[in-house]
Amino acid sequence: MKKTITFLVVLILLVSCKEEVIQKPERLVEKDVMVNVMVDLSILEAIKYQNPASLDTFKINPRDFIYKKYKIDSLQFAKSNVYYASDYEDYKLMFEQIVQRLDAKKKSADSVVNLEKNKKNAILSKKQKPALRAKDTTKVN
């Protein structure tokens, strides 16, 4: 009987300790939307550091732009981010989704850049071929 009571007390203590570390915010950004926001923020921040003039020319603040696009504010984003970060495993899955999307966008951008390079090379080679033919005909005559 003593062992049973001890077991129940330990079980109750373990179950009662299973409460959320951080309370769910009132205006929680949905997980899918949060992933979209983080992907877009990553892209705009990369543009900001790779080519700052592009955003400065149009006076775009990447964070403000994203907040307007998704109709959220900075406090709502921050609270939602802290809430999702409190569950490490779930947050890790979110970041894996973000990395996958960024990789897919990078591959897409790389293919567009390669396509443009191929077009330029094709145009340059077409311009150079007639010049080579003219040189060849002068040598034969």
Side-chain angles (χ1 to χ4, degrees):
M1 178 77 174
K2 212 175 197 185
K3 288 183 182 181
T4 307
I5 292 175
T6 306
F7 176 74
L8 287 175
V9 169
V10 170
L11 183 64
I12 290 171
L13 286 174
L14 289 175
V15 172
S16 66
C17 292
K18 182 73 176 161
E19 64 182 73
E20 292 184 15
V21 176
I22 296 179
Q23 292 180 354
K24 186 175 179 179
E26 286 181 24
R27 300 180 332 160
L28 180 68
V29 177
E30 292 181 28
K31 198 175 291 189
D32 293 337
V33 174
M34 192 72 170
V35 170
N36 291 339
V37 168
M38 293 173 103
V39 167
D40 288 349
L41 276 174
S42 298
I43 292 170
L44 284 175
E45 289 294 324
I47 291 170
K48 179 180 173 183
Y49 290 107
Q50 290 295 318
N51 189 2
S54 64
L55 295 177
D56 290 341
T57 303
F58 300 107
K59 297 181 180 171
I60 296 173
N61 181 340
R63 291 193 176 269
D64 291 341
F65 177 78
I66 296 300
Y67 296 152
K68 285 180 185 177
K69 178 180 177 182
Y70 291 100
K71 298 177 178 130
I72 60 174
D73 58 41
S74 59
L75 182 62
Q76 183 181 7
F77 173 76
K79 285 184 176 182
S80 297
N81 194 33
V82 168
Y83 175 76
Y84 288 125
S86 67
D87 182 4
Y88 172 75
E89 292 297 323
D90 209 25
Y91 204 56
K92 183 180 173 185
L93 292 175
M94 285 176 61
F95 268 91
E96 287 173 0
Q97 287 179 348
I98 292 167
V99 169
Q100 287 174 351
R101 288 188 189 178
L102 289 174
D103 286 343
K105 288 181 184 278
K106 183 180 182 295
K107 286 178 185 176
S108 175
D110 287 346
S111 66
V112 170
V113 168
N114 287 335
L115 183 65
E116 289 298 319
K117 282 182 183 178
N118 291 340
K119 284 182 182 179
K120 285 181 183 179
N121 289 339
I123 291 170
L124 289 175
S125 66
K126 284 181 182 179
K127 286 181 180 179
Q128 290 176 351
K129 284 183 181 178
L132 292 175
R133 288 182 193 150
K135 287 181 183 178
D136 290 341
T137 55
T138 56
K139 290 181 181 178
V140 174
N141 288 336

